[in-house]
């Protein structure tokens, strides 16, 4: 990955969901539930507080849960990613 997030930002790739049901019915984009979890691909160095760098709680390859409107979506090398602040993450799935 050649995207390096700054400070308390992270790069997340959303987990994909199938576009067809088990029975073969195609699910339109408007009807499907958007996934709210993904895998962390890159992590910033952390934020400065009182002259010290505070590292982030998440690490690369963590699976995280985040809000529906979290982050900004970007497209890089034909892949879609989200860049968000660490504070937009709700939980880490272990």
């Amino acid at each position: 990955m050649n995207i390096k997030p700054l400070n308390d930002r992270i790069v997340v790739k959303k987990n994909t969901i199938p576009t067809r049901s088990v029975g073969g019915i195609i699910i339109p984009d408007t009807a499907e539930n958007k996934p709210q979890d993904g895998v962390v691909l890159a992590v910033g160095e952390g934020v400065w507080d009182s002259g010290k760098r505070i590292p982030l709680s998440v690490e690369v390859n963590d699976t995280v849960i985040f809000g529906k409107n979290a982050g900004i979506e970007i497209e890089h090398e034909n892949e879609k990613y989200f860049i968000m602040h660490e504070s937009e993450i709700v939980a880490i799935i272990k």
Side-chain angles (χ1 to χ4, degrees), residues 3-11 43-47 53 56 83-85:
I3 299 173
K4 180 169 175 44
L6 301 176
N7 299 321
D8 69 333
R9 290 180 178 85
I10 62 169
V11 178
V43 178
E45 296 177 356
V47 294
R53 176 82 70 175
L56 302 182
I83 298 177
M84 63 186 70
H85 290 276

Side-chain angles (χ1 to χ4, degrees), residues 3-88:
I3 299 173
K4 180 169 175 44
L6 301 176
N7 299 321
D8 69 333
R9 290 180 178 85
I10 62 169
V11 178
V12 175
K13 180 158 177 80
K14 274 190 174 181
N15 290 331
T16 58
I17 57 173
T19 56
R20 290 182 183 260
S21 71
V22 176
I25 299 172
I26 297 174
I27 303 169
D29 287 342
T30 55
E32 65 185 56
N33 291 328
K34 301 291 183 188
Q36 294 177 307
D37 64 318
V39 177
V40 177
L41 300 178
V43 178
E45 296 177 356
V47 294
W48 287 99
D49 185 27
S50 302
K52 296 180 185 177
R53 176 82 70 175
I54 300 173
L56 302 182
S57 301
V58 297
E59 299 174 356
V60 174
N61 293 325
D62 279 351
T63 301
V64 295
I65 300 173
F66 47 87
K68 286 185 179 183
N69 298 320
I72 58 167
E73 184 176 12
I74 63 164
E75 187 168 331
H76 179 68
E77 297 178 354
N78 296 324
E79 293 284 338
K80 290 184 180 179
Y81 303 101
F82 282 81
I83 298 177
M84 63 186 70
H85 290 276
E86 182 187 35
S87 61
E88 295 178 282

